[in-house]
Amino acid sequence: MGSGAQRQTPVLPAADEKMGSGVQRQTPVLPAADEKTGSGAQRQTAVLPTLAAPAVATEWISETAERPVLEAERKSSWMARLKAGLSKTSSNLSLLFIGAKIDEDLYEELEAALLMSDAGMDATQFLLDGLRRKVKDERLLDAAAVKGALKVLMTDMLRPLEKPLELGRHEPLVMMIAGVNGAGKTTTIGKLAKHMQKYQQSVLLAAGDTFRAAAREQLMVWGQRNNVTVIAQESGDPAAVAFDAVQSGKAKKMDVVMVDTAGRLPTQLHLMEELKKIKRVIGMGMDGAPHELVLVIDGNTGQNALAQVKAFDDALQLTGLVITKLDGTAKGGVLAAIARTRPVPVYFIGIGEKIEDLQPFKADEFVEALLG
């Protein structure tokens, strides 16, 4: 620690803020054994771990600056928030098994609860058929065992959606972010930028939403908070903004370029064609780009979210999803519908406004929070 920094009153950063070098020397952050945290190492390795909270031994947080937070505490905190966020969905499902008899009435009530959670008919029927077989083959006699069997079936169904967002594959990694108005797209971009910085990734943002009032300003605020450069124009062609951002990212040797796009409904065909144009123009700026086409969807919209996934996937060939606003929704079963109908990987799920409320999707955690 430099002597100058020692004489000043030390300030410990919040958990969602990038640590300055002086604070890092004061409190060493230890990477997990299988992670390479140096920027050079990140460019050499082809696959980096999922963008979970950094696997570190300790990290200072603003609420309790006197003591470090252990990884076990962090996970416990996330699970508590996830359970609270999914409580409306889970209450309809988990309460069915309290003192229940294993009979046809239980299956009918479970079917109704799954459909109410917007799991969809296909996923609901798949789970019920599998559960009936398990109960018969394993001779399950009590409600707790049936509930455990449902957990296994649901986890296996959602597992194909569990895929990490891989960093370091390209320089820069170009990500194009799409979604309808109000899904939380611009906010999600800011949170993703912060997550990536925790892995020493340099990030450049492109304000490609030239339609919505104040969208450019909103992204620039996020850029200022995260110390990230934002490429923007007063008005004009969003494809041109995306192209300029890719060129700037290449010239500055950035690790990640994220391109925001204007919110649009999949039924607005001329706007969907514009998305295809942005994708093509990005490809002109860098061979193989965009490397990630991510759709941000609002978990509250249920089956409508599934329709969005289908439409945007048909237009852009999506590589991943971010599902936001799962807190307080009774439609968390939509992930089951996505898994059965259009299994695009879910990179992250969001359950709140804070940066730490956006976390990588893990099937077992999600099902545990859903069924308890």
Side-chain angles (χ1 to χ4, degrees):
M1 185 183 303
S3 59
Q6 185 65 31
R7 284 193 297 271
Q8 298 174 2
T9 302
V11 179
L12 298 178
D16 61 350
E17 295 179 0
K18 186 174 181 181
M19 295 184 180
S21 59
V23 178
Q24 284 179 324
R25 288 194 292 272
Q26 186 183 83
T27 307
V29 178
L30 305 176
D34 60 347
E35 293 184 18
K36 297 179 176 63
T37 56
S39 60
Q42 285 175 320
R43 292 195 176 104
Q44 292 167 10
T45 184
V47 178
L48 290 181
T50 184
L51 292 183
V56 297
T58 63
E59 183 178 325
W60 295 103
I61 62 174
S62 57
E63 290 83 358
T64 55
E66 298 83 9
R67 68 176 185 85
V69 175
L70 300 177
E71 186 62 29
E73 292 181 65
R74 189 193 311 281
K75 184 173 181 180
S76 175
S77 173
W78 163 246
M79 283 302 298
R81 297 199 310 277
L82 184 58
K83 286 180 179 179
L86 293 173
S87 60
K88 287 188 179 179
T89 305
S90 65
S91 62
N92 293 330
L93 292 169
S94 57
L95 293 179
L96 293 176
F97 296 95
I98 298 177
K101 291 175 59 178
I102 313 306
D103 56 15
E104 195 59 33
D105 287 343
L106 176 63
Y107 291 118
E108 289 181 3
E109 290 178 9
L110 180 58
E111 179 181 20
L114 287 169
L115 290 174
M116 285 177 62
S117 73
D118 270 354
M121 183 57 73
D122 187 16
T124 297
Q125 198 60 51
F126 178 83
L127 288 171
L128 287 175
D129 291 347
L131 188 59
R132 289 177 189 274
R133 283 194 300 271
K134 266 188 169 293
V135 169
K136 181 179 179 181
D137 296 345
E138 300 175 17
R139 298 181 179 180
L140 305 180
L141 301 175
D142 63 279
V146 175
K147 183 179 179 180
L150 180 60
K151 278 187 182 180
V152 172
L153 289 168
M154 193 172 289
T155 302
D156 289 344
M157 175 189 287
L158 296 178
R159 190 82 69 188
L161 302 183
E162 186 180 314
K163 181 184 176 184
L165 174 59
E166 299 171 359
L167 301 175
R169 293 171 291 145
H170 305 277
E171 190 178 302
L173 176 72
V174 181
M175 300 176 63
M176 181 174 164
I177 315 295
V180 304
N181 286 314
K185 188 163 38 63
T186 305
T187 301
T188 297
I189 289 174
K191 291 180 180 180
L192 288 175
K194 197 66 183 176
H195 272 286
M196 291 172 181
Q197 286 181 330
K198 290 183 179 180
Y199 288 99
Q200 289 73 48
Q201 297 286 287
S202 55
V203 182
L204 181 71
L205 304 180
D209 185 350
T210 58
F211 290 97
R212 183 168 62 89
R216 181 174 62 92
E217 288 77 7
Q218 183 184 358
L219 195 64
M220 292 181 74
V221 168
W222 273 106
Q224 291 169 358
R225 287 183 187 176
N226 298 327
N227 194 27
V228 170
T229 302
V230 178
I231 302 295
Q233 296 178 3
E234 288 294 336
S235 61
D237 186 356
V241 176
F243 183 86
D244 290 346
V246 172
Q247 296 306 307
S248 179
K250 289 166 62 178
K252 295 178 180 178
K253 298 189 180 300
M254 305 298 288
D255 294 312
V256 180
V257 173
M258 280 193 286
V259 180
D260 189 14
T261 59
R264 66 204 68 213
L265 295 172
T267 53
Q268 296 171 307
L269 299 181
H270 64 293
L271 292 180
M272 295 301 285
E273 287 300 319
E274 183 188 73
L275 270 185
K276 295 178 185 178
K277 175 186 174 183
I278 296 172
K279 179 183 176 182
R280 289 195 303 270
V281 171
I282 289 174
M284 295 175 188
M286 181 178 180
D287 289 341
H291 311 105
E292 294 285 350
L293 290 128
V294 178
L295 177 67
V296 180
I297 55 178
D298 181 347
N300 281 291
T301 56
Q303 285 291 305
N304 189 34
L306 177 60
Q308 292 171 28
V309 173
K310 291 179 179 177
F312 280 92
D313 189 35
D314 289 342
L316 299 174
Q317 294 74 57
L318 298 173
T319 61
L321 305 175
V322 176
I323 302 180
T324 64
K325 306 182 184 182
L326 281 171
D327 51 315
T329 179
K331 300 181 178 181
V334 69
L335 272 80
I338 291 172
R340 287 291 296 171
T341 309
R342 193 66 66 97
V344 179
V346 177
Y347 288 150
F348 291 89
I349 56 175
I351 56 165
E353 293 297 324
K354 298 179 180 177
I355 287 179
E356 61 267 25
D357 289 335
L358 185 73
Q359 294 288 338
F361 172 71
K362 300 287 181 62
D364 54 348
E365 291 179 356
F366 187 85
V367 172
E368 179 63 30
L370 204 59
L371 294 177

